[in-house]
Amino acid sequence: MLLSSVLSVAALAASCLGAKLEQVTNFGENPTKIYMYIYVPDKLAAKPAVIVALHPCGGTAPSWYSGTKLPSYADQNGFILIYPGTPNQSNCWDVQNPASLTHGAGGDALGIVSMINHTLAHHGADPSRVFVMGSSSGAMMTNLLAGAYPDVFEAGSAFSGVAFGCFAGAAGATPFSANQTCAQGQLQHTPEQWGSFVRTAYPGYAGRRPRMQIWHGLADALVRPQCAAQALEQWSDVLGVPWSKNVTGTPSSAYTQMLYGDGTKLQGYFGVGVGHTAPVNEVYMLRFFGLVA
């Protein structure tokens, strides 16, 4: 009996050890009633960095937590992961919403920024090292957040998304929405016009802009590769870095890397034979963020 009790206590203690994904409620202003989950590794770095990881359409925060290797990298490097989740419009982010597209106006974007502010306040995280990444709809929201909240994010990495403002004016931003001109790459704007969408999202802002990394598959028929080209044109204009060169075979034989300027502010990756969505390359992304060597 005594041995059984000891073993039970040991099992209970073991179950209480180890970092895990946890839901956070009452994290601040949340106009669209989205969800916040957070992963805080057992061993945090001093003033840890924060990565916001955004799920694709139809996904959830817990499924995206399991969908990449980011938690293991967080364990190794001591950064915090925020996993937002949306229950709205088929679990797709509201990248068509004027409120999300405007700094401080509301939408999913403001809820996500509330999650970041909560994390900075409760975990001593570094406000100068907040990053955002996502796939498909999550990539679309990555571009949106970088555009509408340049004062919050240091850099972003978008896998199979669209440019900031691409879905503006549409009734929805899901694969089931009637208007798919954005996702099909059919919108026609100059780089300067694409850039103006970002600049008007936060009138009067004159500070630094997030560095950006754009990934896309050339065989993507759901969100056409033209969408990535438009995003690169947009960020090239916003960041003031022209295209400089292509590097074939990076990060693998299927990909071509596009560098803008010296490559520290803007990079693009296009994969031959890669459909929807482009696989997350954690190493290249985290190197770009400056979180791994």
Side-chain angles (χ1 to χ4, degrees):
M1 185 68 176
L2 179 60
L3 178 60
S4 176
S5 298
V6 170
L7 291 174
S8 297
V9 171
L12 178 62
S15 69
C16 295
L17 297 175
K20 60 183 178 180
L21 186 70
E22 296 183 341
Q23 186 170 6
V24 178
T25 57
N26 301 319
F27 51 82
E29 194 170 358
N30 184 20
T32 52
K33 296 180 171 58
I34 57 178
Y35 307 133
M36 176 183 179
Y37 288 79
I38 193 168
Y39 181 76
V40 181
D42 292 327
K43 187 176 181 181
L44 274 179
K47 293 202 72 175
V50 175
I51 299 179
V52 177
L54 295 158
H55 66 68
C57 272
T60 65
S63 69
W64 194 229
Y65 167 77
S66 302
T68 76
K69 298 175 183 176
L70 282 176
S72 65
Y73 282 99
D75 290 336
Q76 296 167 32
N77 297 279
F79 56 77
I80 297 171
L81 294 167
I82 298 174
Y83 288 93
T86 175
N88 308 313
Q89 57 171 10
S90 302
N91 300 79
C92 301
W93 300 102
D94 69 346
V95 296
Q96 86 293 342
N97 185 351
S100 269
L101 288 160
T102 305
H103 182 87
D108 292 346
L110 186 59
I112 293 168
V113 171
S114 293
M115 298 177 195
I116 294 167
N117 290 334
H118 181 278
T119 302
L120 296 176
H122 286 78
H123 295 284
D126 187 346
S128 69
R129 294 196 299 154
V130 177
F131 307 90
V132 59
M133 65 80 64
S135 177
S136 191
S137 179
M140 299 174 192
M141 182 53 82
T142 293
N143 279 311
L144 185 151
L145 287 166
Y149 292 89
D151 54 331
V152 173
F153 297 96
E154 161 60 24
S157 186
F159 295 81
S160 307
V162 302
F164 178 98
C166 184
F167 269 105
T174 79
F176 320 109
S177 302
N179 186 348
Q180 292 294 312
T181 54
C182 166
Q184 289 300 300
Q186 296 170 349
L187 295 181
Q188 301 295 320
H189 297 297
T190 66
E192 293 77 14
Q193 289 170 330
W194 282 115
S196 70
F197 295 153
V198 170
R199 287 183 286 270
T200 57
Y202 191 177
Y205 180 76
R208 56 161 300 284
R209 297 279 179 175
R211 301 178 293 110
M212 294 300 295
Q213 193 181 61
I214 305 296
W215 298 77
H216 220 98
L218 291 172
D220 192 338
L222 185 64
V223 180
R224 298 284 182 177
Q226 291 91 329
C227 296
Q230 292 164 351
L232 287 166
E233 288 179 353
Q234 181 175 68
W235 290 113
S236 174
D237 179 72
V238 169
L239 293 168
V241 285
W243 172 85
S244 56
K245 65 178 180 179
N246 288 351
V247 181
T248 59
T250 301
S252 68
S253 59
Y255 280 85
T256 295
Q257 179 193 56
M258 298 178 65
L259 296 179
Y260 291 75
D262 63 5
T264 59
K265 290 186 176 181
L266 181 61
Q267 303 175 352
Y269 295 86
F270 288 91
V272 174
V274 177
H276 192 79
T277 58
V280 173
N281 189 306
E282 293 89 351
V283 172
Y284 271 69
M285 180 181 73
L286 293 173
R287 283 178 184 167
F288 183 70
F289 288 173
L291 298 181
V292 301

